[in-house]
Amino acid sequence: MEETQRETNWCDEEDQQAEASIWKYIFGFTEISVVKCAIELGIADAIESHGSPMTLSELSSALTCAPSPLYRIMRFLMHRGIFKEELNTHGSPCYAQTSLSRRLVRYGEHSMAAFFMVNSSPMAMASLHRLSARVLANGTSPFEMAHGEEAWSFLAANPAQSQLVNEAMASDARVVVPAIIHGCPEVFDGLGSLVDVGGGNGTTLQMLVQAFPWLRGINFDLPHVVSEALEFHMVENAGGNMFESVPKADAAFLMWILHGWGDDECIQILKNCREAISEDKGKIIIVEAVIEEAKMDKLSDARLTLDMAMMAHTNAGKERTFKEWEFLLRKAGFTRYIAKFIHAVQSVIEAFP
């Protein structure tokens, strides 16, 4: 009887959890939409600019919007811990920033707003809605199904979307590069030059050259991308195609490039990088997520979610385990490789000829 009762209680607990969880998934897109709304309204920007927590009246005045719908938006966001409530000197409730809400400030040091906006855009959502077709069609890209062409061609033909992607990559760089600089600065010891393969608007190299002033940087990407790149001392912008060749340097740096491609394409890119670096002191530095299936941590869910995004947005891209990274590196002619873990979704992999 006691065993049956314990089993019934366990089933009740499981059912209760299921009841709570299913609503989370049913309205998962709603959560994304509300955060997107907060970024578009500039809620975090307004509180940050104010310099202290704001009452509903102050916030609605600053945003020039009606208090009632704003209150409901803020109630939703506070329930999820994105903002918090504090009392001002008059004892009135105010909305205050958190470490999470500061990630939504559009131009803040740790802002991920642009990254959020590109991943919640109609462009990205359209391919996510076709994810099941990728599984059933055995390799057909959901992005192509949604937009009629693969992502890189689409972005080349749509400058506004391409700019949004570049801004997203730059926002990610502003978070990840400091983690690399502080977590494994020795990676850049002894290097005189560094080519950032797929470097976008040059944000990453600008930060690396500032941190390691002995480096000469080459920001390498498609011509239409580097035409919009930043101009910076000790950084040269170079247009080209990484599938054809890579500019010569002591080391090649690839951050969130290879996860967008299948194994064959990755091997070709890595071989071109190997030809570009010197045989004696040359190396490549890969900054990518490493899936650890046996050992999960706080960022494992983010890495697995990124894998779903790669499935939706690319033809054959994916997040890889370390064994899968080893396979690619061996095929590309690298004999030694080391993985270093930093405080980020990505890890740093050094590979040597």
Side-chain angles (χ1 to χ4, degrees):
M1 177 68 78
E2 286 182 10
E3 187 64 35
T4 303
Q5 186 62 47
R6 279 199 299 270
E7 193 171 304
T8 302
N9 291 341
W10 179 82
C11 289
D12 287 345
E13 288 174 14
E14 186 180 34
D15 257 3
Q16 289 168 13
Q17 183 59 52
E19 179 69 14
S21 295
I22 193 62
W23 287 106
K24 174 185 173 183
Y25 295 116
I26 288 171
F27 288 111
F29 282 111
T30 304
E31 189 169 52
I32 292 169
S33 299
V34 177
V35 177
K36 182 173 183 281
C37 171
I39 294 171
E40 291 172 337
L41 291 174
I43 294 172
D45 300 83
I47 299 173
E48 192 73 11
S49 297
H50 191 258
S52 61
M54 302 176 76
T55 63
L56 176 63
S57 175
E58 289 171 334
L59 187 57
S60 63
S61 295
L63 301 177
T64 62
C65 65
S68 179
L70 179 61
Y71 168 77
R72 291 163 66 189
I73 291 287
M74 295 305 293
R75 179 175 62 186
F76 183 95
L77 294 169
M78 286 202 303
H79 180 68
R80 281 153 180 78
I82 295 174
F83 292 93
K84 64 183 178 182
E85 184 180 274
E86 290 183 1
L87 299 179
N88 63 14
T89 53
H90 304 291
S92 301
C94 295
Y95 301 117
Q97 296 275 57
T98 65
S99 293
L100 182 52
S101 69
R102 286 191 173 92
R103 302 277 175 135
L104 305 182
V105 173
R106 278 175 283 195
Y107 301 106
E109 182 183 355
H110 299 293
S111 172
M112 293 293 283
F115 204 87
F116 186 94
M117 293 301 284
V118 76
N119 282 285
S120 61
S121 68
M123 174 189 71
M125 288 295 184
S127 51
L128 283 165
H129 277 296
R130 290 164 174 80
L131 192 57
S132 59
R134 167 68 182 270
V135 181
L136 295 171
N138 192 27
T140 304
S141 163
F143 194 98
E144 281 191 55
M145 292 179 187
H147 302 288
E149 57 186 329
E150 52 99 25
W152 314 116
S153 300
F154 177 88
L155 292 173
N158 292 271
Q161 291 294 324
S162 180
Q163 177 65 21
L164 183 58
V165 169
N166 288 337
E167 289 173 5
M169 293 301 100
S171 73
D172 179 64
R174 285 189 286 270
V175 173
V176 176
V177 174
I180 298 169
I181 292 168
H182 294 106
C184 49
E186 69 280 358
V187 166
F188 303 94
D189 289 348
L191 299 178
S193 58
L194 182 73
V195 55
D196 186 1
V197 181
N201 69 3
T203 298
T204 296
L205 264 185
Q206 179 178 327
M207 298 174 74
L208 290 174
V209 168
Q210 282 179 322
F212 309 109
W214 59 84
L215 281 178
R216 178 179 66 84
I218 303 168
N219 182 50
F220 179 64
D221 212 316
L222 293 168
H224 78 271
V225 175
V226 295
S227 67
E228 303 292 329
L230 306 168
E231 295 292 334
F232 192 73
H233 177 63
M234 292 297 287
V235 174
E236 169 195 352
N237 291 309
N241 187 330
M242 62 187 176
F243 289 105
E244 296 172 0
S245 64
V246 171
K248 292 194 177 297
D250 290 339
F253 185 89
L254 302 100
M255 186 164 81
W256 264 11
I257 299 299
L258 299 176
H259 74 164
W261 300 96
D263 288 356
D264 290 343
E265 291 88 353
C266 285
I267 291 165
Q268 183 59 54
I269 295 167
L270 289 168
K271 283 181 176 178
N272 289 343
C273 289
R274 192 181 185 284
E275 289 178 8
I277 61 176
S278 60
E279 192 74 29
D280 51 348
K281 65 174 182 178
K283 64 179 175 181
I284 63 167
I285 304 162
I286 300 169
V287 183
E288 292 272 7
V290 176
I291 301 288
E292 292 191 89
E293 294 171 328
K295 183 183 177 184
M296 296 291 180
D297 60 27
K298 290 181 179 179
L299 290 173
S300 293
D301 188 67
R303 297 179 186 112
L304 294 172
T305 303
L306 280 165
D307 187 44
M308 295 297 98
M310 290 301 100
M311 186 183 289
H313 304 322
T314 69
N315 290 338
K318 62 180 180 178
E319 305 302 337
R320 293 174 167 89
T321 64
F322 189 63
K323 283 186 177 179
E324 289 173 314
W325 284 115
E326 284 184 316
F327 170 78
L328 296 181
L329 291 166
R330 283 198 305 270
K331 286 289 186 181
F334 292 89
T335 59
R336 188 164 60 91
Y337 18 85
I338 307 164
K340 300 186 176 185
F341 299 96
I342 56 175
H343 294 296
V345 169
Q346 300 98 319
S347 297
V348 176
I349 302 172
E350 289 181 276
F352 306 86

